[in-house]
Amino acid sequence: MSVLRTLRAVAMTAATLGGLSGALVGLLNEQGRRARVAIGVLEHLWPAPDGVYFDDGGDPVRLAVLGDSMAVGVGVTHPSQMPGVLLAQALAEEAERPVRLSTYAVSGSTTRDLVPQVDAAVRDEPQVALIIIGANDVTSRISARESALLLAEQVGRLRAIGCGVVVGTCPDLGIVRPIPQPLRAVGRRYSLRLAAAQTAEVRRAGGVPVSLANLLAPEFLARHVDMFSSDRFHPSAIGYEAAAGVLLAPLCQVAGLWPGWAASPLPVRSAAALAVRPSRVPVWLQKRHA
């Protein structure tokens, strides 16, 4: 995900969709400019370490990872910390057999960019697929409905070949602290709206949605120094480990390893996270966008 493009587009989204005043549009654009200065630049962008994990010569479970920078693992300091690697290793332990990891995700992708990724994945006939997508749809001003329907179509293509699909829905852009208020509140509102639409459409298409916003935002807010990478925008290795922790059980479910598994109604959270309450969209902004 391009930080510069993200922050500029969040402000433009608020302006174009909300009919806000010229003064407020100017404020949001200025806040985006200041946040771009505050956010750092990552030095390392690692290639995906695809291959067979825990290879014992047996037939591996074929795991495909699709989506955007969060699916790629932008922000880690070593390839072993990438979410695909973490999940391939954990899935191999649970399955007690090798797992072949194939990464099709591309940083900066929107849901419109999933089509060639799924084209490539379908040719390799994965048994399990993880998709993380959505943040760039918000910043690219793709409507929540269009984005969710496009996602459902690609989930349906994977399900048609017998692949179990887990989707990490749009993360909460309101947790990125270098983005000031009220711009951060705008990003939060649109990202949560998209996540809700994704959840409904993924279920209809036969996939399993996982709310990254609900499950991870409190921890990221409470432990932002640990959870974010040096650019203060993408997750750190600890942040990706937390994400893998909430994605593993659904992946085991669709892989047929945990057939009786059901999601807990309440995620496990630290005391610090429980003390944090997510910021609400200001009342004046809610009225503007009602």
Side-chain angles (χ1 to χ4, degrees), residues 112-131:
R112 290 171 179 165
D113 301 314
L114 275 182
V115 175
Q117 294 184 28
V118 174
D119 287 344
V122 166
R123 287 194 292 270
D124 293 336
E125 299 183 340
Q127 295 161 290
V128 184
L130 169 66
I131 302 173

Side-chain angles (χ1 to χ4, degrees), residues 82-98:
M82 288 180 164
V85 174
L86 298 176
L87 289 166
Q89 292 174 334
L91 195 60
E93 289 183 5
E94 293 297 330
E96 297 183 340
R97 58 185 286 200

